Amino acid sequence: MTWIIDAVRNAGPLPAYLIIGALVFAEDALFIGFILPGETAAVLGGVLASQNHLQLWLVLVLVVAAAIAGDTVGYQIGRHFGSRILEISLLQKRRSQLDRARDLLARKGGSAVFLGRFTAFFRAVMPALAGLSHMPYRRFLTFNIAGGAIWGAAVVLAGYFAGNAYLTAAKTFGPAATIALLAALTAAAAAWYVQKKIKARIVHVPAAPAPRGQTSGEAVPLGICHPGNANAPATRR
């Protein structure tokens, strides 16, 4: 990863734009996100924009467009090749993570495409899994655009506004290590937020007439039928 960071830092503006866009695109389209996360390239683009080496608006447009396009290609690959993509050796070695991604997609549907954007492994595989599951393309595209726009803007701006801190840290840790650390912190914060959202699944419904022994103000958990309460809601599937 450090050689890529050095290559982008030492390249001229046009090669830097091309490398950043290619890494963000390939992360989702070619399943390399868990090896070469495009998040690092996007953060680096923001840092270079803060130092006036690149144009911030162009980095933003490039990263968002590459993210959306990469997801679209990943979706089409999953839709075309189906379950055969699950046999790729890189995915087989990460079977537990792949199973978690499939479970999230089964539970959340289109929202999983949006949430997956903020976790490196999910970002790499979720578009293909959505295509494999034959999610309607219009539904996929809606969440793809939303996730790509918010993620792209967030990571680029994180690098941009951390530009001053980068200059200070780079003197101690070196430019490549500082970029990698900043990208890791951004990814960790995003992953924590997404995991918090995924786990927050306690659902309540308006309280039905309480059976004997139950206080009327207590909420009835969704899907739990109390004895003697024929009107309790059925389990949500």
Side-chain angles (χ1 to χ4, degrees):
M1 178 57 71
T2 56
W3 67 269
I4 294 177
I5 294 174
D6 288 334
V8 175
R9 289 180 57 251
N10 298 324
L14 180 57
Y17 287 127
L18 292 176
I19 294 172
I20 291 170
L23 285 175
V24 173
F25 173 84
E27 178 179 38
D28 308 333
L30 304 177
F31 312 110
I32 66 170
F34 37 89
I35 301 175
L36 296 174
E39 201 158 40
T40 300
V43 170
L44 177 57
V47 170
L48 293 177
S50 74
Q51 299 172 4
N52 297 318
H53 294 309
L54 301 177
Q55 294 293 320
L56 177 61
W57 72 267
L58 188 52
V59 175
L60 283 168
V61 170
L62 180 64
V63 168
V64 170
I68 295 172
D71 269 23
T72 299
V73 172
Y75 173 90
Q76 295 298 340
I77 289 174
R79 192 173 183 87
H80 179 74
F81 290 100
S83 59
R84 284 176 288 177
I85 65 172
L86 301 179
E87 303 304 320
I88 298 175
S89 59
L90 286 175
L91 297 182
Q92 285 295 316
K93 293 177 181 178
R94 295 165 175 81
R95 193 70 197 185
S96 61
Q97 291 174 288
L98 183 62
D99 289 341
R100 288 175 56 205
R102 298 179 72 181
D103 177 67
L104 178 63
L105 183 64
R107 291 188 291 110
K108 289 286 191 176
S111 297
V113 175
F114 176 86
L115 293 172
R117 166 59 63 182
F118 298 89
T119 303
F121 182 84
F122 287 1
R123 185 163 59 245
V125 302
M126 196 63 75
L129 292 179
L132 185 155
S133 67
H134 296 285
M135 178 184 294
Y137 180 70
R138 288 186 179 180
R139 180 172 177 78
F140 168 81
L141 184 61
T142 298
F143 289 97
N144 177 23
I145 291 175
I150 294 175
W151 172 84
V155 293
V156 171
L157 292 177
Y160 182 81
F161 290 115
N164 292 332
Y166 163 81
L167 293 175
T168 301
K171 295 177 181 178
T172 303
F173 303 106
T178 302
I179 289 293
L181 177 61
L182 180 58
L185 291 175
T186 302
W192 173 85
Y193 177 78
V194 171
Q195 290 296 325
K196 181 180 178 181
K197 289 294 184 182
I198 292 174
K199 292 179 180 179
R201 296 182 57 82
I202 299 175
V203 181
H204 294 280
V205 297
R212 293 181 180 179
Q214 179 181 335
T215 304
S216 59
E218 295 178 353
V220 179
L222 186 64
I224 299 177
C225 295
H226 292 281
N229 186 1
N231 297 318
T235 302
R236 178 177 293 178
R237 298 290 181 186

